[in-house]
Amino acid sequence: MFFVRNREKSPLEKIKDELKKKSKISYVTSLNEESLPIVERKLLKQIRSTTAEHNLNNVTRTKAYLDFYKQQPEIHWAFLGHMVSRNGGWNMTDLKGEFLTRLLSKKERDTFFAFLERGNWLIFQDAFPQFLLYQESLKWNKPFFHLFPYLNISTFMETIWNNFWKSHDTYVLTMGLVINEQSYLEKRVIQNPQYKKEVLDTFEFKLHELFSFNQILFPYGNKKLAGQTLQQFGSLNERILLGKRLYSILFKERDFLNDVYQWAFQHPHTGSRKDYWPHIFNNVNEGIPGFSYQLRLKSCQLRKGARKLYSPSLENVWKNVTHREAEKGDWFEDWQIADYLKDDQESYNGEIKNEYCKTLERLELAALAKKAISILD
């Protein structure tokens, strides 16, 4: 008689099996925190307090990601999140900078900021407690991921972190966090009726490639840039795939990762694009009131005698926002979203400098044209 040995399932197959079971379970949303051991109740209170302390604005969030990565470099998403959060800050200050103050009304700029700030705040208050619970798990040498529901963290991530605790698979954890954060935003921001009407469906946002909101930049070395462009901000699939590409660019080559990390370490995030290109941007407005705008850029260089472009520090132009509580509920429904966890082994070209230079030049021409039209009106 012949016996067929069952093939052991791969870690990814085991994750999918667990998620399949979870997708069929209806979870009770009312949790009794008082029933937890006092140690765990104190831990949850401390995590909420520490997260709120760092979630004041884009600058404090971005710094917190980097500080955590310095302590736990095995959590790759912390550095990826740090670099993407820097870009979020640059997008916020663009709304008070050289070009968009000419292209958008104050109401439009305030609405765009509210949209960007809400997303940045939501991701931090979801991701950072996961990091803190991981650190506590290391300290106690036992996983505390069963506490995720008390922090409104998806059951999807409980599965992912428990897998990481056993396997130390940094890729699966990073992709799990990418999937989670983008799915978390989908209903709370992207599908939010107010933001859909006032931001995502507006003519201005449909031309967001002109405004550079879709370019994620990784500065490194001396004035060098790498990165990727997002084509469809409103597509969950496209945002997750962008996360995969950005991770590949940032972490596949150790020398490049070290270069970007050294740049980030040496240039504290302020929100001003002066952080990476001080030869073009300044956080002080060099413009002279009453003088008409003149073209200043040519091939990503300032024209002779031209003043630098104004790119303010975030904390000088945007006040801290008091946010309403994050919407409750678990986004996880379909286990097949775990297909994104597979490593496609592809390498991506991070060349973006030429494209970004063209974006700046288009912005400048658009601002000049808008000014000319307003004068004619």
Side-chain angles (χ1 to χ4, degrees):
M1 182 179 288
F2 294 94
F3 293 92
V4 178
R5 177 186 288 180
N6 289 331
R7 178 182 64 85
E8 185 176 356
K9 291 185 176 181
S10 69
L12 189 53
E13 287 173 325
K14 291 177 182 177
I15 289 172
K16 287 184 177 181
D17 284 346
E18 186 173 339
L19 291 175
K20 282 179 189 177
K21 294 174 187 175
K22 287 186 172 183
S23 65
K24 296 175 183 176
I25 299 173
S26 177
Y27 288 91
V28 179
T29 55
S30 56
L31 296 164
N32 182 11
E33 197 168 312
E34 292 303 313
S35 66
L36 294 172
I38 190 168
V39 171
E40 294 184 353
R41 296 205 304 272
K42 285 183 176 179
L43 179 55
L44 289 171
K45 183 179 179 181
Q46 181 58 49
I47 283 173
R48 292 185 183 111
S49 174
T50 303
T51 300
E53 178 186 336
H54 293 299
N55 205 4
L56 298 177
N57 56 52
N58 171 266
V59 171
T60 59
R61 291 169 208 133
T62 308
K63 181 179 185 300
Y65 286 139
L66 184 61
D67 288 344
F68 178 84
Y69 180 71
K70 290 174 189 174
Q71 298 171 48
Q72 311 293 164
E74 72 275 20
I75 308 301
H76 292 179
W77 190 95
F79 189 56
L80 177 62
H82 167 78
M83 294 306 299
V84 173
S85 188
R86 278 185 182 255
N87 281 265
W90 296 329
N91 288 336
M92 290 175 185
T93 58
D94 285 346
L95 294 165
K96 294 280 192 175
E98 192 73 48
F99 300 131
L100 296 190
T101 50
R102 294 175 166 85
L103 288 166
L104 300 175
S105 68
K106 182 180 183 303
K107 182 177 184 298
E108 287 169 334
R109 288 184 281 121
D110 288 346
T111 302
F112 278 129
F113 172 74
F115 171 79
L116 294 168
E117 165 66 14
R118 181 64 176 174
N120 203 240
W121 181 88
L122 279 169
I123 286 179
F124 187 87
Q125 64 85 42
D126 182 73
F128 206 68
Q130 297 179 48
F131 296 164
L132 296 178
L133 266 179
Y134 170 67
Q135 280 191 322
E136 286 298 320
S137 298
L138 292 175
K139 190 185 300 181
W140 290 76
N141 197 29
K142 67 174 184 177
F144 279 105
F145 309 130
H146 64 281
L147 295 177
F148 278 1
Y150 296 92
L151 295 163
N152 200 29
I153 297 166
S154 175
T155 184
F156 173 85
M157 286 312 300
E158 185 179 351
T159 297
I160 298 298
W161 277 102
N162 279 322
N163 171 75
F164 179 73
W165 188 257
K166 298 170 188 172
S167 70
H168 306 290
D169 189 326
T170 54
Y171 183 84
V172 168
L173 176 62
T174 307
M175 288 308 106
L177 283 159
V178 168
I179 293 165
N180 177 66
E181 300 314 333
Q182 293 308 321
S183 299
Y184 184 79
L185 284 186
E186 184 69 9
K187 288 183 180 178
R188 291 167 173 82
V189 175
I190 308 302
Q191 299 301 328
N192 180 296
Q194 178 186 353
Y195 293 133
K196 273 183 71 66
K197 179 183 176 183
E198 296 182 2
V199 178
L200 293 166
D201 290 343
T202 61
F203 177 71
E204 288 84 356
F205 197 86
K206 287 174 182 175
L207 293 178
H208 69 283
E209 67 273 9
L210 178 68
F211 297 158
S212 75
F213 287 138
N214 62 339
Q215 290 172 334
I216 305 295
L217 309 177
F218 295 156
Y220 67 102
N222 183 20
K223 304 176 186 175
K224 296 179 180 178
L225 294 177
Q228 278 281 293
T229 298
L230 174 62
Q231 300 301 338
Q232 293 176 281
F233 188 85
S235 166
L236 175 60
N237 174 65
E238 288 299 321
R239 296 197 310 276
I240 293 173
L241 293 179
L242 174 69
K244 290 173 79 80
R245 297 196 301 271
L246 291 172
Y247 178 72
S248 176
I249 291 168
L250 196 54
F251 278 89
K252 285 293 172 75
E253 296 291 337
R254 174 59 60 178
D255 288 345
F256 178 72
L257 173 62
N258 289 339
D259 287 346
V260 178
Y261 177 77
Q262 285 303 315
W263 180 89
F265 185 77
Q266 293 165 8
H267 297 82
H269 176 61
T270 71
S272 171
R273 292 188 183 271
K274 179 185 178 182
D275 289 352
Y276 62 88
W277 269 7
H279 64 297
I280 288 181
F281 296 100
N282 196 354
N283 56 7
V284 175
N285 195 343
E286 298 180 3
I288 302 173
F291 279 67
S292 60
Y293 188 85
Q294 305 269 328
L295 284 177
R296 302 185 206 172
L297 292 172
K298 186 176 182 181
S299 302
C300 249
Q301 295 292 330
L302 288 175
R303 296 170 185 265
K304 188 175 180 179
R307 296 183 297 274
K308 292 181 181 179
L309 304 178
Y310 179 47
S311 179
S313 300
L314 185 135
E315 291 174 316
N316 287 337
V317 292
W318 290 114
K319 294 180 180 178
N320 293 348
V321 175
T322 301
H323 287 264
R324 66 185 184 279
E325 186 180 356
E327 296 84 345
K328 300 293 184 185
D330 192 341
W331 62 264
F332 174 69
E333 294 174 352
D334 184 0
W335 65 269
Q336 293 184 75
I337 200 161
D339 288 340
Y340 288 113
L341 296 172
K342 185 178 179 182
D343 189 350
D344 55 22
Q345 299 292 332
E346 287 190 39
S347 296
Y348 298 95
N349 180 7
E351 167 56 41
I352 201 169
K353 182 178 177 180
N354 291 336
E355 186 179 342
Y356 177 59
C357 290
K358 290 176 183 176
T359 295
L360 285 179
E361 289 172 6
R362 288 199 303 269
L363 271 167
E364 184 174 49
L365 288 171
L368 193 64
K370 184 95 178 233
K371 184 70 175 177
I373 291 169
S374 65
I375 290 172
L376 291 173
D377 288 345

